[in-house]
Amino acid sequence: MPQRLVITGRSQEPRGRFVEELRRLRTERGLSLRDLAKEVGWDASLFSKMESGRTLGGPEVVQALDQFYGTPGLLVTLWELAVADPTQFREQYRRYMLLEAEAISLWHYAVSAPPGLLQTAGYAHEALAVGWIKGPELEQQVEARLGRRQLLDGDDPPLFRVILSEAVLRTSLRDERAWRGQLEHLAESAERQNITLQVLPFSAGPHGLMNTAVMFLRLPGGRTVAYSENDLRGELIEEDTSVELLQRRYDAMRDLALSPAESRKFILRMLEEVPCEPST
């Protein structure tokens, strides 16, 4: 097989290519970071972090840069590829992320934390920091986790069913504002057509997945795989018998959960218990 011809010499890695394009477009204009900040309206420190690869920024700032540089859709496309790139996740999660991106429907049981697909930036930041991730890696992992939320958007998103243990809603963040934002996001997500959210109350008693967070992925062709996880490790389960056993336990637990309507009311009651911000 002939060796692949490199045309541009630019990075073939999505995050690296995005960073290179940001720097190229700015330097070709002869702009400093401070000049760019004045023109586009964001802080120069954000552009510095984006051009060094410490952060990817958000869709709003990337769209503003596309408009400023006259590159309609180019930077947004590169940003989307960088956000969705599985190599930005830690190696043990990458195969799962590739399968998650292919899934046509997903079922999740959350033991103590909201599923990554429904986490806010505030929640992801505090939760990942507890795992001793720091500095640039922390920011990259937060962005990677938030980037997964794109899976549930778009014109034809997969169906997503999630059952939250009541423990998820009782384990609040230290930052009350961030916790309020997370609960609000869960309540809003419960109203989306492609998301079914249920709460499993403590009163349901013991069940077959008490200590196991698990995600089921239904893939094109009808095959279903499972992924179970705890604080130390995750395991991708593809053997049919094991997947079926977990599914039976999940179905039995779902029968104990509150209905979607009752579950949303439960979350709203939890939201009422979070202190409101003091007026200024």
PDB file of all heavy atoms in Angstrom, residues 221-243:
ATOM      1  N   GLY A 221     -28.248  -2.606  13.636  1.00  0.00           N
ATOM      2  CA  GLY A 221     -28.233  -4.047  13.450  1.00  0.00           C
ATOM      3  C   GLY A 221     -28.885  -4.793  14.592  1.00  0.00           C
ATOM      4  O   GLY A 221     -29.068  -6.009  14.523  1.00  0.00           O
ATOM      5  N   GLY A 222     -29.230  -4.068  15.670  1.00  0.00           N
ATOM      6  CA  GLY A 222     -29.969  -4.667  16.769  1.00  0.00           C
ATOM      7  C   GLY A 222     -29.130  -5.184  17.916  1.00  0.00           C
ATOM      8  O   GLY A 222     -29.670  -5.619  18.936  1.00  0.00           O
ATOM      9  N   ARG A 223     -27.809  -5.179  17.800  1.00  0.00           N
ATOM     10  CA  ARG A 223     -26.964  -5.671  18.890  1.00  0.00           C
ATOM     11  C   ARG A 223     -26.975  -4.678  20.046  1.00  0.00           C
ATOM     12  O   ARG A 223     -26.976  -3.470  19.843  1.00  0.00           O
ATOM     13  CB  ARG A 223     -25.533  -5.873  18.400  1.00  0.00           C
ATOM     14  CG  ARG A 223     -24.594  -6.494  19.432  1.00  0.00           C
ATOM     15  CD  ARG A 223     -23.300  -6.940  18.768  1.00  0.00           C
ATOM     16  NE  ARG A 223     -22.482  -5.800  18.355  1.00  0.00           N
ATOM     17  CZ  ARG A 223     -21.410  -5.373  19.037  1.00  0.00           C
ATOM     18  NH1 ARG A 223     -21.048  -5.983  20.152  1.00  0.00           N
ATOM     19  NH2 ARG A 223     -20.711  -4.354  18.591  1.00  0.00           N
ATOM     20  N   THR A 224     -26.995  -5.200  21.271  1.00  0.00           N
ATOM     21  CA  THR A 224     -26.957  -4.364  22.467  1.00  0.00           C
ATOM     22  C   THR A 224     -25.718  -4.716  23.283  1.00  0.00           C
ATOM     23  O   THR A 224     -25.409  -5.895  23.487  1.00  0.00           O
ATOM     24  CB  THR A 224     -28.208  -4.572  23.340  1.00  0.00           C
ATOM     25  OG1 THR A 224     -29.368  -4.187  22.586  1.00  0.00           O
ATOM     26  CG2 THR A 224     -28.144  -3.718  24.597  1.00  0.00           C
ATOM     27  N   VAL A 225     -24.995  -3.690  23.717  1.00  0.00           N
ATOM     28  CA  VAL A 225     -23.849  -3.882  24.604  1.00  0.00           C
ATOM     29  C   VAL A 225     -24.123  -3.081  25.881  1.00  0.00           C
ATOM     30  O   VAL A 225     -24.988  -2.213  25.913  1.00  0.00           O
ATOM     31  CB  VAL A 225     -22.526  -3.424  23.963  1.00  0.00           C
ATOM     32  CG1 VAL A 225     -22.253  -4.211  22.684  1.00  0.00           C
ATOM     33  CG2 VAL A 225     -22.537  -1.924  23.682  1.00  0.00           C
ATOM     34  N   ALA A 226     -23.398  -3.404  26.929  1.00  0.00           N
ATOM     35  CA  ALA A 226     -23.564  -2.715  28.204  1.00  0.00           C
ATOM     36  C   ALA A 226     -22.216  -2.203  28.686  1.00  0.00           C
ATOM     37  O   ALA A 226     -21.154  -2.734  28.310  1.00  0.00           O
ATOM     38  CB  ALA A 226     -24.176  -3.654  29.248  1.00  0.00           C
ATOM     39  N   TYR A 227     -22.279  -1.185  29.512  1.00  0.00           N
ATOM     40  CA  TYR A 227     -21.060  -0.639  30.114  1.00  0.00           C
ATOM     41  C   TYR A 227     -21.364  -0.392  31.580  1.00  0.00           C
ATOM     42  O   TYR A 227     -22.278   0.372  31.918  1.00  0.00           O
ATOM     43  CB  TYR A 227     -20.674   0.669  29.420  1.00  0.00           C
ATOM     44  CG  TYR A 227     -19.386   1.286  29.938  1.00  0.00           C
ATOM     45  CD1 TYR A 227     -18.154   0.845  29.482  1.00  0.00           C
ATOM     46  CD2 TYR A 227     -19.417   2.312  30.871  1.00  0.00           C
ATOM     47  CE1 TYR A 227     -16.975   1.406  29.950  1.00  0.00           C
ATOM     48  CE2 TYR A 227     -18.240   2.883  31.343  1.00  0.00           C
ATOM     49  CZ  TYR A 227     -17.026   2.427  30.866  1.00  0.00           C
ATOM     50  OH  TYR A 227     -15.857   2.992  31.330  1.00  0.00           O
ATOM     51  N   SER A 228     -20.627  -1.061  32.464  1.00  0.00           N
ATOM     52  CA  SER A 228     -20.819  -0.868  33.894  1.00  0.00           C
ATOM     53  C   SER A 228     -19.613  -0.132  34.449  1.00  0.00           C
ATOM     54  O   SER A 228     -18.494  -0.252  33.929  1.00  0.00           O
ATOM     55  CB  SER A 228     -20.995  -2.214  34.610  1.00  0.00           C
ATOM     56  OG  SER A 228     -19.811  -2.997  34.498  1.00  0.00           O
ATOM     57  N   GLU A 229     -19.838   0.625  35.524  1.00  0.00           N
ATOM     58  CA  GLU A 229     -18.783   1.511  36.002  1.00  0.00           C
ATOM     59  C   GLU A 229     -18.882   1.714  37.499  1.00  0.00           C
ATOM     60  O   GLU A 229     -19.976   1.753  38.073  1.00  0.00           O
ATOM     61  CB  GLU A 229     -18.896   2.862  35.278  1.00  0.00           C
ATOM     62  CG  GLU A 229     -17.768   3.826  35.545  1.00  0.00           C
ATOM     63  CD  GLU A 229     -17.905   5.087  34.707  1.00  0.00           C
ATOM     64  OE1 GLU A 229     -19.050   5.522  34.473  1.00  0.00           O
ATOM     65  OE2 GLU A 229     -16.875   5.630  34.279  1.00  0.00           O
ATOM     66  N   ASN A 230     -17.707   1.840  38.131  1.00  0.00           N
ATOM     67  CA  ASN A 230     -17.645   2.309  39.509  1.00  0.00           C
ATOM     68  C   ASN A 230     -16.547   3.370  39.581  1.00  0.00           C
ATOM     69  O   ASN A 230     -16.040   3.814  38.542  1.00  0.00           O
ATOM     70  CB  ASN A 230     -17.392   1.159  40.494  1.00  0.00           C
ATOM     71  CG  ASN A 230     -16.111   0.392  40.188  1.00  0.00           C
ATOM     72  OD1 ASN A 230     -15.108   0.957  39.748  1.00  0.00           O
ATOM     73  ND2 ASN A 230     -16.141  -0.916  40.409  1.00  0.00           N
ATOM     74  N   ASP A 231     -16.155   3.779  40.793  1.00  0.00           N
ATOM     75  CA  ASP A 231     -15.192   4.862  40.925  1.00  0.00           C
ATOM     76  C   ASP A 231     -13.798   4.498  40.426  1.00  0.00           C
ATOM     77  O   ASP A 231     -12.989   5.380  40.128  1.00  0.00           O
ATOM     78  CB  ASP A 231     -15.088   5.310  42.388  1.00  0.00           C
ATOM     79  CG  ASP A 231     -16.321   6.080  42.839  1.00  0.00           C
ATOM     80  OD1 ASP A 231     -17.003   6.633  41.962  1.00  0.00           O
ATOM     81  OD2 ASP A 231     -16.575   6.127  44.052  1.00  0.00           O
ATOM     82  N   LEU A 232     -13.496   3.213  40.329  1.00  0.00           N
ATOM     83  CA  LEU A 232     -12.144   2.798  39.976  1.00  0.00           C
ATOM     84  C   LEU A 232     -11.997   2.355  38.531  1.00  0.00           C
ATOM     85  O   LEU A 232     -10.936   2.504  37.938  1.00  0.00           O
ATOM     86  CB  LEU A 232     -11.688   1.664  40.906  1.00  0.00           C
ATOM     87  CG  LEU A 232     -11.574   2.027  42.391  1.00  0.00           C
ATOM     88  CD1 LEU A 232     -11.158   0.793  43.195  1.00  0.00           C
ATOM     89  CD2 LEU A 232     -10.558   3.156  42.596  1.00  0.00           C
ATOM     90  N   ARG A 233     -13.050   1.770  37.956  1.00  0.00           N
ATOM     91  CA  ARG A 233     -12.907   1.230  36.613  1.00  0.00           C
ATOM     92  C   ARG A 233     -14.259   1.089  35.927  1.00  0.00           C
ATOM     93  O   ARG A 233     -15.307   1.099  36.573  1.00  0.00           O
ATOM     94  CB  ARG A 233     -12.210  -0.142  36.651  1.00  0.00           C
ATOM     95  CG  ARG A 233     -12.996  -1.209  37.399  1.00  0.00           C
ATOM     96  CD  ARG A 233     -12.167  -2.480  37.577  1.00  0.00           C
ATOM     97  NE  ARG A 233     -11.862  -3.114  36.323  1.00  0.00           N
ATOM     98  CZ  ARG A 233     -12.607  -4.068  35.761  1.00  0.00           C
ATOM     99  NH1 ARG A 233     -13.717  -4.475  36.367  1.00  0.00           N
ATOM    100  NH2 ARG A 233     -12.266  -4.617  34.624  1.00  0.00           N
ATOM    101  N   GLY A 234     -14.200   0.991  34.609  1.00  0.00           N
ATOM    102  CA  GLY A 234     -15.378   0.708  33.823  1.00  0.00           C
ATOM    103  C   GLY A 234     -15.157  -0.533  32.991  1.00  0.00           C
ATOM    104  O   GLY A 234     -14.011  -0.896  32.681  1.00  0.00           O
ATOM    105  N   GLU A 235     -16.217  -1.223  32.643  1.00  0.00           N
ATOM    106  CA  GLU A 235     -16.100  -2.464  31.878  1.00  0.00           C
ATOM    107  C   GLU A 235     -17.139  -2.492  30.769  1.00  0.00           C
ATOM    108  O   GLU A 235     -18.333  -2.339  31.009  1.00  0.00           O
ATOM    109  CB  GLU A 235     -16.299  -3.674  32.795  1.00  0.00           C
ATOM    110  CG  GLU A 235     -16.208  -5.005  32.067  1.00  0.00           C
ATOM    111  CD  GLU A 235     -16.525  -6.187  32.964  1.00  0.00           C
ATOM    112  OE1 GLU A 235     -16.921  -5.963  34.131  1.00  0.00           O
ATOM    113  OE2 GLU A 235     -16.386  -7.334  32.499  1.00  0.00           O
ATOM    114  N   LEU A 236     -16.675  -2.671  29.545  1.00  0.00           N
ATOM    115  CA  LEU A 236     -17.560  -2.844  28.410  1.00  0.00           C
ATOM    116  C   LEU A 236     -17.954  -4.309  28.331  1.00  0.00           C
ATOM    117  O   LEU A 236     -17.095  -5.190  28.292  1.00  0.00           O
ATOM    118  CB  LEU A 236     -16.858  -2.415  27.123  1.00  0.00           C
ATOM    119  CG  LEU A 236     -17.707  -2.457  25.847  1.00  0.00           C
ATOM    120  CD1 LEU A 236     -18.855  -1.460  25.933  1.00  0.00           C
ATOM    121  CD2 LEU A 236     -16.836  -2.166  24.629  1.00  0.00           C
ATOM    122  N   ILE A 237     -19.267  -4.585  28.323  1.00  0.00           N
ATOM    123  CA  ILE A 237     -19.782  -5.955  28.359  1.00  0.00           C
ATOM    124  C   ILE A 237     -20.482  -6.235  27.034  1.00  0.00           C
ATOM    125  O   ILE A 237     -21.489  -5.605  26.705  1.00  0.00           O
ATOM    126  CB  ILE A 237     -20.758  -6.145  29.535  1.00  0.00           C
ATOM    127  CG1 ILE A 237     -20.050  -5.804  30.847  1.00  0.00           C
ATOM    128  CG2 ILE A 237     -21.302  -7.561  29.568  1.00  0.00           C
ATOM    129  CD1 ILE A 237     -20.981  -5.668  32.028  1.00  0.00           C
ATOM    130  N   GLU A 238     -19.955  -7.179  26.261  1.00  0.00           N
ATOM    131  CA  GLU A 238     -20.512  -7.474  24.945  1.00  0.00           C
ATOM    132  C   GLU A 238     -21.068  -8.890  24.841  1.00  0.00           C
ATOM    133  O   GLU A 238     -21.742  -9.212  23.866  1.00  0.00           O
ATOM    134  CB  GLU A 238     -19.433  -7.253  23.879  1.00  0.00           C
ATOM    135  CG  GLU A 238     -18.888  -5.832  23.864  1.00  0.00           C
ATOM    136  CD  GLU A 238     -17.899  -5.590  22.741  1.00  0.00           C
ATOM    137  OE1 GLU A 238     -18.333  -5.536  21.575  1.00  0.00           O
ATOM    138  OE2 GLU A 238     -16.692  -5.461  23.029  1.00  0.00           O
ATOM    139  N   GLU A 239     -20.783  -9.727  25.814  1.00  0.00           N
ATOM    140  CA  GLU A 239     -21.262 -11.113  25.798  1.00  0.00           C
ATOM    141  C   GLU A 239     -22.762 -11.138  26.051  1.00  0.00           C
ATOM    142  O   GLU A 239     -23.266 -10.562  27.006  1.00  0.00           O
ATOM    143  CB  GLU A 239     -20.509 -11.906  26.867  1.00  0.00           C
ATOM    144  CG  GLU A 239     -20.595 -13.408  26.703  1.00  0.00           C
ATOM    145  CD  GLU A 239     -21.809 -13.968  27.439  1.00  0.00           C
ATOM    146  OE1 GLU A 239     -22.077 -13.502  28.560  1.00  0.00           O
ATOM    147  OE2 GLU A 239     -22.480 -14.850  26.871  1.00  0.00           O
ATOM    148  N   ASP A 240     -23.514 -11.793  25.168  1.00  0.00           N
ATOM    149  CA  ASP A 240     -24.977 -11.708  25.157  1.00  0.00           C
ATOM    150  C   ASP A 240     -25.607 -12.112  26.487  1.00  0.00           C
ATOM    151  O   ASP A 240     -26.546 -11.456  26.963  1.00  0.00           O
ATOM    152  CB  ASP A 240     -25.553 -12.571  24.032  1.00  0.00           C
ATOM    153  CG  ASP A 240     -25.262 -12.004  22.655  1.00  0.00           C
ATOM    154  OD1 ASP A 240     -24.908 -10.812  22.575  1.00  0.00           O
ATOM    155  OD2 ASP A 240     -25.381 -12.747  21.662  1.00  0.00           O
ATOM    156  N   THR A 241     -25.138 -13.201  27.076  1.00  0.00           N
ATOM    157  CA  THR A 241     -25.752 -13.689  28.314  1.00  0.00           C
ATOM    158  C   THR A 241     -25.616 -12.669  29.441  1.00  0.00           C
ATOM    159  O   THR A 241     -26.573 -12.415  30.192  1.00  0.00           O
ATOM    160  CB  THR A 241     -25.116 -15.024  28.734  1.00  0.00           C
ATOM    161  OG1 THR A 241     -25.282 -15.983  27.675  1.00  0.00           O
ATOM    162  CG2 THR A 241     -25.766 -15.556  30.007  1.00  0.00           C
ATOM    163  N   SER A 242     -24.454 -12.072  29.558  1.00  0.00           N
ATOM    164  CA  SER A 242     -24.226 -11.081  30.611  1.00  0.00           C
ATOM    165  C   SER A 242     -25.052  -9.823  30.377  1.00  0.00           C
ATOM    166  O   SER A 242     -25.614  -9.254  31.317  1.00  0.00           O
ATOM    167  CB  SER A 242     -22.736 -10.723  30.675  1.00  0.00           C
ATOM    168  OG  SER A 242     -21.950 -11.846  31.002  1.00  0.00           O
ATOM    169  N   VAL A 243     -25.146  -9.391  29.116  1.00  0.00           N
ATOM    170  CA  VAL A 243     -25.950  -8.211  28.797  1.00  0.00           C
ATOM    171  C   VAL A 243     -27.417  -8.468  29.115  1.00  0.00           C
ATOM    172  O   VAL A 243     -28.114  -7.622  29.700  1.00  0.00           O
ATOM    173  CB  VAL A 243     -25.776  -7.823  27.312  1.00  0.00           C
ATOM    174  CG1 VAL A 243     -26.760  -6.711  26.930  1.00  0.00           C
ATOM    175  CG2 VAL A 243     -24.347  -7.359  27.036  1.00  0.00           C
TER     176      VAL A 243
END
